[in-house]
Amino acid sequence: MEAYSVVIILLAITIGLSPIASRMKFPYPVLLLIVGTGVGFIPGFRTIPIDPEVIFLLFLPPLLYSAAYDISIKDFKRNFSTISILAVRLVFVTTMGIAIAVHYCIGISWPLSFVLGAILSPPDAIATTSVTKGLGLPNRTNTVLEGESLINDASALVAFRFAVSAVAGSSFVLWKAGLIFILAIAGGLFIGWLVAHVFIFIADVKKNLDDYVCVSLNLLLPFVAYLIAEELYVSGVIATVTVGISIAWHRDRFSGATVAQSKSVMDMVVFILGGLVFILIGLEFPQVLKNIPSEQFLPLVGCSFLIFLIALLIRMFVVFWHKRRMDNRYTTAKKRLDHIDIHQKERIKQHFREKKKRTPFGKNIDDYFKSLLFNWKEAFIIGWSGMRGIVSLAAALSLPLIMTNGDAFPQRNVVIFLTVTVVIIMLVIQGLGLPVLVKLLKIDGVEA
């Protein structure tokens, strides 16, 4: 069977399973994952080898761009403190936690343990949005989950590159890693902003530009931003996300037809690529299984479940620690505000109006603080929803076969097998469990 025939079959499966999942009320990504795994075990079925460069270039930019374009910018700014904690601090804490667990579980070296920790530390934007879609979660919860998934890949990939270098024998220098991380983020922000504003400038100058040309250019933006950023050794992920947010911020500069058509085309692309992602993850499991000796299978599966539990517990701890920290912070601030007399509040409000900044003194101070805090139900959902996906798989597959000194990369097959198994465990357990939790906790989309 030729490769293009396999692609057509996979596309047909992806499209055909969508109405079945809706009718069964079964999470669509999980159904695709299960079917993909089953198809991979069919004798004689030719699977498509996953090229990490193709995944990072073909799949990641449009999916990240669409998610960034649709995110609520107002809620993103308001919850940026929570998003940044999850996207940066949680990633590095999870990397260390997984590394420690793996090192003592199966005895692989510390550098290699940190490689696996970095691979499995970031929740996946595609998995998160695909599983949470249609569950009726509060906008604030969706914004935090999507915002975290949009920017955490940058910190995880920086940690991954340094861990791989350590395996190859390079020394790790903390200040150097921090500097590279900052430059990667800053460079990605600048490239994304520049690409977006070049497109906006072209659209403004060419007022008579046909809608289909604008739609085509809009479709190319995430790929252009990602490629330029990666060529300049800065974060392509951050560049793509910045383009999406910038275009969404200036969408009123485009005609209604352009906006509607761009949204329609992008939604179709996301539907097809997002579906293929989960099919490909399922197909990969039978392939990596062939490279693992039978006597190692059960210990590695057990280690995979341990990694899943460690990652979940760390995420829950960080989410609830941050919730408590925010509760204490705003409770203290509210007590201070309660002691300010009404005349002083009016002077502060006037100052904010003159500076054209938002005042914290609305008609109801309680409502203002309430809009910034999470209740325990939302915190639990955020903690549970950290599924890994195609980014982790692509990172694992991008591990070199041969190191610079000519030696084979140590235990590469073990790292890939653990990655695929953990991704599948997370998607199945957390993906199936999320709708049940939403129903049990009676979350109805109202931000309480």
Side-chain angles (χ1 to χ4, degrees):
M1 186 181 296
E2 299 295 333
Y4 65 83
S5 301
V6 176
V7 173
I8 292 174
I9 292 173
L10 295 181
L11 284 173
I13 293 174
T14 300
I15 297 170
L17 288 179
S18 179
I20 296 175
S22 299
R23 182 169 296 182
M24 294 172 58
K25 295 183 179 178
F26 195 85
Y28 180 53
V30 180
L31 182 60
L32 289 172
L33 179 70
I34 294 172
V35 171
T37 304
V39 170
F41 280 107
I42 296 176
F45 185 85
R46 176 178 176 178
T47 58
I48 301 176
I50 297 179
D51 186 339
E53 293 186 5
V54 172
I55 294 296
F56 285 129
L57 176 60
L58 181 62
F59 285 82
L60 208 55
L63 294 168
L64 289 174
Y65 179 79
S66 177
Y69 183 86
D70 291 335
I71 201 170
S72 169
I73 298 176
K74 179 181 177 182
D75 288 341
F76 182 84
K77 291 171 62 178
R78 179 182 294 176
N79 295 286
F80 186 75
S81 172
T82 301
I83 292 171
S84 60
I85 289 289
L86 298 179
V88 180
R89 187 177 300 181
L90 177 59
V91 165
F92 293 124
V93 172
T94 304
T95 298
M96 290 188 289
I98 292 176
I100 293 171
V102 171
H103 176 75
Y104 289 106
C105 177
I106 56 177
I108 61 177
S109 66
W110 280 113
L112 199 59
S113 298
F114 276 98
V115 168
L116 185 60
I119 289 172
L120 290 170
S121 59
D124 187 70
I126 306 165
T128 300
T129 54
S130 299
V131 173
T132 58
K133 186 182 298 182
L135 291 181
L137 297 179
N139 290 334
R140 178 174 53 199
T141 305
N142 278 323
T143 300
V144 170
L145 290 173
E146 293 171 6
E148 171 204 3
S149 299
L150 288 175
I151 60 179
N152 61 11
D153 291 332
S155 49
L157 291 176
V158 168
F160 170 71
R161 288 167 183 166
F162 273 96
V164 171
S165 298
V167 172
S170 300
S171 59
F172 175 79
V173 181
L174 183 60
W175 71 264
K176 184 178 179 180
L179 179 62
I180 290 177
F181 177 70
I182 293 172
L183 291 176
I185 298 296
L189 288 170
F190 175 74
I191 295 298
W193 177 88
L194 182 63
V195 170
H197 282 77
V198 167
F199 173 63
I200 293 169
F201 174 77
I202 294 173
D204 282 343
V205 172
K206 302 290 186 180
K207 293 294 185 182
N208 59 345
L209 202 64
D210 291 332
D211 288 332
Y212 71 87
V213 176
C214 280
V215 172
S216 301
L217 288 174
N218 193 24
L219 186 62
L220 285 175
L221 284 182
F223 299 102
V224 172
Y226 185 88
L227 276 173
I228 293 175
E230 290 297 316
E231 286 295 321
L232 296 175
Y233 300 100
V234 297
S235 175
V237 171
I238 295 298
T240 305
V241 171
T242 304
V243 167
I245 293 176
S246 299
I247 297 300
W249 184 268
H250 296 284
R251 72 179 75 188
D252 57 340
R253 307 272 285 270
F254 307 99
S255 69
T258 296
V259 173
Q261 291 175 27
S262 296
K263 185 73 169 68
S264 178
V265 170
M266 193 59 69
D267 285 347
M268 181 184 67
V269 171
V270 168
F271 172 73
I272 293 174
L273 293 182
L276 283 176
V277 159
F278 298 103
I279 289 279
L280 291 174
I281 291 174
L283 286 172
E284 193 64 22
F285 182 71
Q287 304 308 308
V288 300
L289 188 59
K290 296 176 182 177
N291 300 320
I292 297 298
S294 57
E295 64 273 11
Q296 292 185 15
F297 175 73
L298 288 180
L300 290 179
V301 170
C303 185
S304 299
F305 276 99
L306 176 63
I307 293 172
F308 159 68
L309 290 174
I310 292 293
L312 181 61
L313 290 175
I314 289 175
R315 183 176 177 85
M316 285 287 188
F317 174 81
V318 170
V319 168
F320 277 93
W321 167 81
H322 181 65
K323 177 189 180 313
R324 182 176 180 182
R325 176 171 166 266
M326 294 289 286
D327 288 344
N328 292 337
R329 176 183 172 186
Y330 286 109
T331 299
T332 302
K334 183 177 179 302
K335 287 180 179 178
R336 291 177 179 174
L337 292 175
D338 287 341
H339 290 85
I340 298 177
D341 62 68
I342 190 170
H343 299 293
Q344 190 172 355
K345 286 182 181 180
E346 287 300 325
R347 289 196 295 271
I348 295 175
K349 288 173 69 174
Q350 181 61 32
H351 170 76
F352 272 82
R353 281 194 292 266
E354 292 174 355
K355 298 292 184 181
K356 295 182 180 180
K357 295 181 180 179
R358 182 179 176 182
T359 171
F361 305 105
K363 293 181 180 179
N364 191 328
I365 289 180
D366 290 333
D367 289 343
Y368 173 75
F369 286 117
K370 202 173 183 181
S371 69
L372 297 171
L373 303 177
F374 294 92
N375 58 43
W376 72 270
K377 293 181 180 180
E378 291 175 284
F380 194 87
I381 292 296
I382 292 172
W384 181 266
S385 303
M387 287 80 69
R388 275 54 167 178
I390 195 67
V391 173
S392 295
L393 180 57
L397 293 173
S398 69
L399 290 173
L401 291 170
I402 304 296
M403 296 188 295
T404 53
N405 61 3
D407 295 336
F409 193 90
Q411 296 182 283
R412 183 176 184 272
N413 290 333
V414 170
V415 172
I416 294 175
F417 178 83
L418 287 172
T419 301
V420 175
T421 308
V422 171
V423 168
I424 291 175
I425 290 171
M426 287 184 167
L427 286 172
V428 172
I429 295 179
Q430 293 173 270
L432 290 177
L434 191 57
V436 177
L437 286 175
V438 171
K439 186 175 182 180
L440 289 176
L441 296 177
K442 298 180 180 179
I443 295 177
D444 55 4
V446 178
E447 296 179 358

